[in-house]
Amino acid sequence: MLVNGRNSDTLPVLDRGLLYGDGLFETIACIDGQMPLWERHMARLSRGCHRLGIRMPSQELLASEAASLVTARRQVLKILVTRGEGGHGYFPGDGETTRILYTRSWPQRGDDAIRAHLCRTRLAKGSPLAGIKSLNRLEQVLAARETQAAGCTEAILCDADGFLVEGRMSNLFWVSRSRLFTPTLEYCGVAGVMRDYVLEVAGKAGIDFETVTCTPETLAQAESVFLTNALGLRLVSECNGNKYDSDAVPFEITAAINGLLKQA
Amino acid sequence: MLVNGRNSDTLPVLDRGLLYGDGLFETIACIDGQMPLWERHMARLSRGCHRLGIRMPSQELLASEAASLVTARRQVLKILVTRGEGGHGYFPGDGETTRILYTRSWPQRGDDAIRAHLCRTRLAKGSPLAGIKSLNRLEQVLAARETQAAGCTEAILCDADGFLVEGRMSNLFWVSRSRLFTPTLEYCGVAGVMRDYVLEVAGKAGIDFETVTCTPETLAQAESVFLTNALGLRLVSECNGNKYDSDAVPFEITAAINGLLKQA
């Protein structure tokens, strides 16, 4: 683990990342020494830093520190960036940005489609943080507790008005009459790098897609539902009493993701 | 500074307080060795722990650690409680609660009424975190940046639908035709311990008060506007082009707060 370039596994308590969640993070797939979505992760981190007014660390520095940490064929890299120490109350000071990089092992999981829980925990709506991946993730923690209690590993979340937003740690897609749909992330949610990639692949492959505002009832008509994050695509077999067919997912999308992540 | 009872000013990077803002905090006024709102702070911390499913540290332990840190006549004590380490993704593990206590000096500020900025930064609405004082405070940081840019020290915030909620680091009250008003905190905001105290004092003194859903235009009709937090009451002289008269604040309220905090 590297904290500002030094081997360390601790951080000052007064770092604003802890005091206020005043920072951002990225979870990055590392495969055979490559990080296939690196540019997109850096673009999102940069957008987040701009939104929060945090000085973005140099991408070259992040890339070289990342390279020094990756050792296994398949690993997950986490990058945290915080505003560092300083300021008073919530007012930012002029402290140095803190950067933290560490790796963890690739999660053990099968390729089977999963049953997803439809969460009662709602995402607050109209957040100035919509779209970015900040360290304010308590809603996801509450959703995770609810998901665990429901005996599931993933869940689908709605906003405070009951409209679909995303998965607990993923973005949501569904296929209906050969069209691809995903919720708008204008008012809350995290714009995933894999979501961007899927939409780009769909555009190039001539697959019709639409970004929509829909309630969970819409999913009753879907032929297929899937969730994506930086580590891949996960098919949903069942959610809220509806069952789904994996064959309706456009093969161009699964092929592109499998190619990107070098999966069978 | 005490981290789990030991002198330390660092925390493990993998503490969920940093990774997800998975915790709570209290900012407590310490005066002549007393913490006059201690019971209310403990009650709110306990409600927050219950909401998040975090094991609340023993209040006796917190009280004795707090007492060991307080040295000056007038100080501010901060208590942070996080879910500690463990879990994967957003899923909580069964780690031990982390408790952090430290003091800082009482802020230097005059008693003059202040000009408050009406923030364009909105608070997301419908949060499962409404009312509690969690470590997810990025909206307040963004509001603080805007307040600073506007040349003010405090600000008044609305929710995503444009209804009044609270101050940037305080709760909002106003007086109109001898009635006291404060916004509802059902959908967002932090239920301040001093807000509770003010409403209790108002009730005992027979002052009519109401918890309301109002837009900022309502403040144009107010005779007086004030903000409260654990460190006291601050009069607002001007906000959004409206000017206010401090004499309209019920004397029972200012007298009670001044008595509580032993201020002149």
Side-chain angles (χ1 to χ4, degrees):
Chain A
M1 186 178 289
L2 291 173
V3 177
N4 293 328
R6 283 181 303 205
N7 281 307
S8 172
D9 54 8
T10 63
L11 191 75
V13 165
L14 295 182
D15 192 284
R16 297 172 61 96
L18 174 69
L19 298 184
Y20 312 122
D22 194 359
L24 300 150
F25 74 106
E26 295 290 332
T27 303
I28 301 174
C30 308
I31 293 155
D32 293 336
Q34 304 292 313
M35 290 170 267
L37 293 168
W38 177 259
E39 300 294 333
R40 290 175 205 264
H41 284 291
M42 288 300 105
R44 179 174 61 186
L45 185 58
S46 173
R47 277 199 308 277
C49 282
H50 185 258
R51 182 95 64 92
L52 301 184
I54 291 177
R55 273 187 290 274
M56 169 90 178
S58 131
Q59 293 190 29
E60 293 69 31
L61 186 61
L62 293 177
S64 80
E65 291 183 357
S68 78
L69 286 172
V70 174
T71 51
R73 233 217 90 216
R74 193 179 282 272
Q75 257 176 328
V76 180
L77 170 72
K78 277 199 73 163
I79 300 181
L80 279 78
V81 167
T82 85
R83 201 187 303 274
E85 294 184 63
H88 62 280
Y90 301 120
F91 288 118
D94 49 6
E96 292 292 315
T97 302
T98 298
R99 62 184 192 281
I100 300 168
L101 290 89
Y102 63 93
T103 54
R104 50 184 177 77
S105 55
W106 194 271
Q108 295 286 339
R109 62 178 205 188
D111 289 330
D112 293 345
I114 51 168
R115 190 167 63 88
H117 173 63
L118 182 64
C119 266
R120 288 180 304 277
T121 302
R122 299 288 178 91
L123 298 170
K125 193 165 186 174
S127 171
L129 310 173
I132 66 172
K133 202 168 167 92
S134 82
L135 293 174
N136 279 206
R137 296 259 74 87
L138 255 175
E139 289 176 341
Q140 281 68 30
V141 172
L142 292 179
R145 279 171 50 82
E146 188 191 328
T147 305
Q148 225 165 18
C152 289
T153 53
E154 241 312 2
I156 292 174
L157 278 93
C158 294
D159 67 23
D161 291 335
F163 295 111
L164 291 168
V165 181
E166 60 189 0
R168 185 186 53 81
M169 53 184 298
S170 54
N171 287 114
L172 170 66
F173 290 89
W174 65 96
V175 178
S176 188
R177 299 186 187 183
S178 303
R179 295 197 78 186
L180 182 65
F181 296 90
T182 192
T184 177
L185 300 176
E186 199 177 342
Y187 304 111
C188 53
V190 175
V193 291
M194 191 62 93
R195 177 180 184 269
D196 271 3
Y197 180 71
V198 167
L199 294 179
E200 186 183 294
V201 168
K204 285 183 181 162
I207 298 164
D208 271 349
F209 68 85
E210 210 176 326
T211 305
V212 290
T213 303
C214 288
T215 62
E217 286 69 46
T218 312
L219 298 181
Q221 272 81 52
E223 290 135 34
S224 172
V225 173
F226 63 97
L227 299 164
T228 63
N229 67 17
L231 306 190
L233 178 150
R234 206 72 204 263
L235 291 164
V236 173
S237 59
E238 192 186 334
C239 181
N240 203 24
N242 302 305
K243 301 206 171 192
Y244 301 107
D245 176 12
S246 58
D247 292 340
V249 179
F251 76 92
E252 295 93 337
I253 291 174
T254 46
I257 294 179
N258 287 340
L260 191 76
L261 301 178
K262 297 186 184 167
Q263 282 169 337
Chain B
M1 187 179 285
L2 291 172
V3 177
N4 293 328
R6 282 181 303 203
N7 281 306
S8 171
D9 54 8
T10 62
L11 191 74
V13 165
L14 295 182
D15 192 283
R16 297 173 60 98
L18 173 69
L19 298 184
Y20 313 121
D22 194 0
L24 301 150
F25 74 108
E26 295 291 331
T27 302
I28 301 174
C30 307
I31 294 156
D32 294 335
Q34 304 292 313
M35 289 170 267
L37 293 168
W38 176 260
E39 299 295 332
R40 290 177 205 264
H41 284 291
M42 288 301 105
R44 179 173 60 186
L45 185 59
S46 171
R47 277 199 307 277
C49 283
H50 185 258
R51 183 96 63 91
L52 301 184
I54 291 177
R55 272 187 291 273
M56 168 91 176
S58 129
Q59 294 190 28
E60 291 69 31
L61 186 60
L62 292 177
S64 79
E65 292 184 355
S68 77
L69 286 172
V70 174
T71 53
R73 234 217 91 217
R74 192 178 282 273
Q75 258 177 327
V76 179
L77 170 72
K78 277 198 74 164
I79 299 181
L80 279 77
V81 168
T82 84
R83 202 186 305 271
E85 295 184 62
H88 62 281
Y90 301 120
F91 287 118
D94 49 7
E96 290 293 314
T97 301
T98 298
R99 62 185 192 281
I100 300 169
L101 291 89
Y102 63 94
T103 54
R104 51 183 176 79
S105 55
W106 193 272
Q108 294 287 339
R109 63 178 204 187
D111 287 331
D112 293 344
I114 50 167
R115 190 167 62 88
H117 173 64
L118 183 65
C119 268
R120 290 180 302 278
T121 302
R122 299 287 178 89
L123 298 170
K125 195 164 183 173
S127 171
L129 310 172
I132 67 172
K133 202 169 168 92
S134 82
L135 294 174
N136 279 206
R137 296 260 73 86
L138 255 175
E139 290 176 341
Q140 281 68 32
V141 172
L142 291 179
R145 279 171 50 83
E146 188 191 329
T147 305
Q148 226 165 17
C152 289
T153 53
E154 240 312 2
I156 292 173
L157 278 93
C158 294
D159 67 24
D161 291 335
F163 295 111
L164 291 167
V165 181
E166 61 189 359
R168 183 186 52 82
M169 54 184 296
S170 54
N171 286 115
L172 169 66
F173 290 90
W174 64 95
V175 178
S176 191
R177 299 185 187 185
S178 305
R179 294 198 80 185
L180 182 66
F181 296 90
T182 193
T184 177
L185 300 175
E186 200 176 341
Y187 304 110
C188 52
V190 175
V193 291
M194 191 62 93
R195 177 180 183 270
D196 270 2
Y197 180 70
V198 167
L199 294 178
E200 185 183 295
V201 168
K204 284 184 183 164
I207 299 163
D208 272 350
F209 68 85
E210 210 175 325
T211 304
V212 290
T213 303
C214 289
T215 63
E217 285 69 45
T218 312
L219 298 181
Q221 272 81 52
E223 291 134 33
S224 174
V225 174
F226 63 95
L227 299 164
T228 63
N229 67 18
L231 306 190
L233 177 151
R234 205 72 203 264
L235 292 164
V236 173
S237 59
E238 193 187 332
C239 181
N240 204 25
N242 302 305
K243 301 205 172 194
Y244 301 107
D245 175 12
S246 59
D247 292 342
V249 179
F251 76 92
E252 294 94 337
I253 290 173
T254 47
I257 293 178
N258 288 341
L260 191 76
L261 302 178
K262 297 187 183 166
Q263 282 167 337

